[in-house]
């Protein structure tokens, strides 16, 4: 069952279809203004929340607390460095079987999932003093 969407929600969905990576709500706000489809920042947040609850948009929180939004087309997995913030995509998914079991055992409809590992990338490890991590 498809929900009836507002014009603001449709504009955000159309924008997200053209952007291949996650984007913040503030950047969505700026990009819509640049495309002469201006709306208030509060409307952007409300629309994103409604689309998220519908399962159309997924949100990923970065280590710095920033939220990135994208279309909920595929599961996302990353290695994220806590020092420099680099985020490396992981292409394999070890939890699809678990997802199927959880849906069945809890009668819970899962729209998507995220899996993120936090630590230090190779470059940041090399920049750390030798005593850290020992």
């Amino acid at each position: 069952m498809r929900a009836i969407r507002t014009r603001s929600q449709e504009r955000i969905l159309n924008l997200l279809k053209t952007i291949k990576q996650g984007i913040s709500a503030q950047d969505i706000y700026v990009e819509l203004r640049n495309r002469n489809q201006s709306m208030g920042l509060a409307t952007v947040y409300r629309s994103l929340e409604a689309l998220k609850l519908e399962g159309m948009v997924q949100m990923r929180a970065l280590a710095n607390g920033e939220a990135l939004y994208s279309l909920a087309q595929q599961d996302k997995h990353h290695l994220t460095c806590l020092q420099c913030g680099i985020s490396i995509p992981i292409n394999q998914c070890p939890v699809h079987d678990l997802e199927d079991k959880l849906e069945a055992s809890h009668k819970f409809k899962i729209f998507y999932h995220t899996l993120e590992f936090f630590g230090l990338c190779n470059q940041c490890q090399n920049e750390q003093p030798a005593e850290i991590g020992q």
Side-chain angles (χ1 to χ4, degrees):
M1 179 173 89
R2 183 188 138 136
I4 297 173
R5 293 195 194 101
T6 66
R7 182 174 36 214
S8 298
Q9 291 168 356
E10 289 293 342
R11 287 179 177 172
I12 289 172
L13 279 176
N14 289 333
L15 173 66
L16 290 175
K17 287 176 186 173
T18 67
I19 298 174
K20 298 303 178 203
Q21 74 275 0
I23 183 173
S24 71
Q26 291 85 357
D27 289 340
I28 290 171
Y29 168 77
V30 169
E31 187 58 35
L32 288 171
R33 287 188 64 174
N34 291 342
R35 296 178 181 204
N36 294 318
Q37 297 179 350
S38 184
M39 70 180 73
L41 185 57
T43 301
V44 171
Y45 278 106
R46 278 193 306 273
S47 297
L48 285 168
E49 184 63 22
L51 291 168
K52 188 173 69 169
L53 292 175
E54 189 184 333
M56 295 298 298
V57 169
Q58 64 188 51
M59 189 264 310
R60 177 173 166 247
L62 298 180
N64 66 3
E66 182 179 28
L68 299 181
Y69 297 87
S70 61
L71 292 179
Q73 295 178 343
Q74 62 189 28
D75 300 325
K76 306 282 185 181
H77 308 93
H78 297 87
L79 300 172
T80 299
C81 181
L82 292 169
Q83 185 165 318
C84 72
I86 189 171
S87 191
I88 304 164
I90 303 169
N91 294 324
Q92 65 264 40
C93 176
V95 297
H96 277 299
D97 290 339
L98 174 61
E99 183 177 297
D100 293 339
K101 290 176 186 173
L102 290 172
E103 277 194 334
S105 66
H106 295 282
K107 297 187 180 359
F108 187 88
K109 176 64 180 155
I110 297 173
F111 294 133
Y112 65 90
H113 69 264
T114 61
L115 178 62
E116 192 144 14
F117 297 94
F118 296 93
L120 293 176
C121 68
N122 190 46
Q123 182 174 341
C124 289
Q125 288 177 61
N126 292 333
E127 293 172 3
Q128 292 288 317
E131 67 272 1
I132 293 180
Q134 292 184 4

